[in-house]
Amino acid sequence: MVGLPGLRGVEHIGFTVPDIEEATRFFVNVIGCEYVYSLGPFQSPDDWMTTHLNVPADAIMRELRFFRCRNGPNFEVFQYETRTQHCIPPLNSDVGGHHLAFYVDDFDAALTHLKLHGVRLLGKPTYRNTGPSAGQTWVYFLTPWGMQLELVSFPEGKRYERTATTMLWQPASA
């Protein structure tokens, strides 16, 4: 057998933010996610945090909040405190670098919405007209704390779909 027995998909993606209230406002008011519940604070007098979470033993998890963003994985958003915390988000080119991509039906309307909320866009939208991703429009943007996100749309599909035997999952088909 190859892979995890019983695998169904990604249940949630977790990431750490410097200010959970700011992150909540951004994900709810700008992106349109729904806040579901929270836990915390939590800290441990022993090495539980290191053993189970791979964070320094002195770390305090002030709060974590779960969000649902329509179709796709949920978000688990943490606010930690520790003496050795790195406060600059990684670049995509850094090991552990990442971004979250939000699929939208109307790219232009979503782009206008981000601009009206003062969101920093990284360049102008890119439209792919060649290669396997032909048909896709995307642009990266930043959260107020510098985390990289992406706006993406391909309402007519991508070129690879014409001959592929396996399709990438996409919210548009959920």
Side-chain angles (χ1 to χ4, degrees):
M1 175 180 277
V2 176
L4 295 171
L7 177 65
R8 288 184 171 225
V10 175
E11 192 274 332
H12 74 268
I13 297 167
F15 48 89
T16 299
V17 298
D19 181 333
I20 204 156
E21 295 300 335
E22 176 184 52
T24 298
R25 285 189 300 275
F26 182 79
F27 284 115
V28 170
N29 298 334
V30 177
I31 300 300
C33 301
E34 184 177 358
Y35 165 69
V36 181
Y37 73 90
S38 72
L39 297 170
F42 182 78
Q43 67 186 108
S44 180
D46 55 22
D47 67 351
W48 190 95
M49 298 291 276
T50 301
T51 301
H52 295 275
L53 301 174
N54 198 31
V55 299
D58 70 336
I60 301 169
M61 190 270 297
R62 289 287 170 208
E63 187 175 359
L64 72 84
R65 292 183 182 175
F66 271 96
F67 297 85
R68 176 157 182 178
C69 300
R70 309 268 161 65
N71 295 307
N74 303 301
F75 293 166
E76 183 180 26
V77 180
F78 296 87
Q79 182 176 335
Y80 277 101
E81 287 179 20
T82 181
R83 290 180 291 111
T84 59
Q85 186 174 39
H86 299 284
C87 296
I88 298 172
L91 300 175
N92 272 347
S93 57
D94 293 335
V95 173
H98 62 278
H99 70 276
L100 300 172
F102 294 96
Y103 184 92
V104 295
D105 294 322
D106 185 334
F107 188 88
D108 292 334
L111 188 64
T112 298
H113 174 82
L114 292 177
K115 289 176 181 178
L116 288 173
H117 282 86
V119 172
R120 180 176 166 211
L121 303 175
L122 299 180
K124 294 182 180 184
T126 298
Y127 176 74
R128 290 279 178 216
N129 57 14
T130 61
S133 290
Q136 174 179 297
T137 303
W138 62 271
V139 69
Y140 274 27
F141 61 99
L142 298 178
T143 65
W145 59 95
M147 184 176 162
Q148 297 174 104
L149 304 178
E150 180 181 0
L151 187 64
V152 64
S153 190
F154 40 93
E156 304 300 320
K158 295 182 187 179
R159 181 171 291 149
Y160 89 91
E161 296 170 344
R162 296 178 192 163
T163 58
T165 56
T166 300
M167 300 292 192
L168 294 171
W169 181 86
Q170 56 180 284
S173 63

